[in-house]
Every structure is written in structure tokens, then in C-alpha cells.
Amino acid sequence: DWLLKIAQAQNDSEKIIEYARLLFIDNFRNEQDYYQILKQYVKPEKWTVFVEAVIQDITTKKRWLDTGLIASIFINEEWWDRLLEMVKKSPDLSTIDHYEKYLSKHFANEIAELYATGVLKYVINNMGRNHYQFACRYIRKIIKLGAREKANEIISHLRTEYPKRKALMEELDKV
């Protein structure tokens, strides 16, 4: 980070790009917004190629933090279709929920479908009123996305699949 600050003081754009890229990819303490620094110093005509190379470097490291870093690139670049594909690769409810605010404007039906699949998987593995309330919260999100029919399908499926889960039936009544 100090090398980056020195390069910035000297206005050495080549070193600024080198250090900011390293700090961004390795996700060090974010003392500065390394992504914006890169965007400022990389020439606009070379930006897309540069970003693709950064994504490739991040992907080859294969750390668990990297999906969030790649997602942040997709969000900054407004590459919504690629963000959606990434969410589809790990479609658990919390991941979908985290990126919904970016994707729902362009892909409401796809997000509703992902939520539906996530809810059905969640209810299979989790029992108890708290879990049912959690699942119903996502059914309500499906309704807010404009997929009322999909929500009704899930509710009727859960009612036929788990008729003996009294707490689930009560929570579904509240949806």
C-alpha cells in the first residue's frame, strides 16, 4: 500500500496500475478503492481486456473469497448477465438474497425461480417454526418480484408434500 502511495505521489501510472492490481486481486485491507484507481489509470480502450485478465487471475487463485471479488467487478461494470450466471452456480438463499438488489430489475423471473428452488431445498433439510418463517420470507420475496403464481405453486407443493408439519401449514397460511 505504501508503494502505491509513493507511485501516486510520483504520478507513475505504470507502477500505480501494478500495485493497485496486486492489492485488488489479493484483497488486502482496503485503505483505498483499488478498483477505482485501476479504472482511473488504465486507458478506456484497454479497460475491458484488462478487467478480463484480472478476473482470470482471480479465478486461477481459487480462494473462497474470490467469488465475492469477481461479483464486485460484475456489479461495478454492470455485467448483470454474468452476475446472474455466477449466482446460479451457488444458488443458496443467502447468495440470491445478497445479489437480488442488482439483478431483480433485469431478471425478476430468473431470481424468482432461483428463490423457488432454494425454498424447496431448504424445507427438505430444515424443520421447525423458525425455519418455516425463514422459508416463507423468501416466498414473500417471490411475490414481490411479481411471480405470484410461482409462489402459489410452491405453497401448494409444500402443503401436499408436508401435510403433517403443522407449524409449516400455519406459516404458509400467513403468506
Side-chain angles (χ1 to χ4, degrees), residues 57-79:
D57 285 354
I58 294 169
T59 306
T60 56
K61 287 188 184 263
K62 289 191 180 2
R63 296 174 308 191
W64 66 273
L65 287 170
D66 294 341
T67 54
L69 193 58
I70 292 172
S72 73
I73 293 172
F74 294 160
I75 292 165
N76 278 314
E77 295 302 315
E78 298 182 3
W79 292 342

Side-chain angles (χ1 to χ4, degrees), residues 82-130:
R82 290 177 74 179
L83 181 62
L84 178 66
E85 288 307 312
M86 196 185 89
V87 170
K88 282 181 178 178
K89 288 179 184 169
S90 63
D92 61 280
L93 291 172
S94 60
T95 303
I96 302 163
D97 191 33
H98 184 76
Y99 296 111
E100 177 197 348
K101 61 183 169 246
Y102 304 108
L103 296 170
S104 62
K105 189 175 10 169
H106 306 284
F107 303 105
N109 290 338
E110 289 89 339
I111 295 298
E113 198 66 44
L114 288 171
Y115 273 141
T117 306
V119 166
L120 293 174
K121 283 182 184 173
Y122 184 81
V123 173
I124 289 170
N125 299 319
N126 297 284
M127 290 176 62
R129 187 170 301 275
N130 288 344

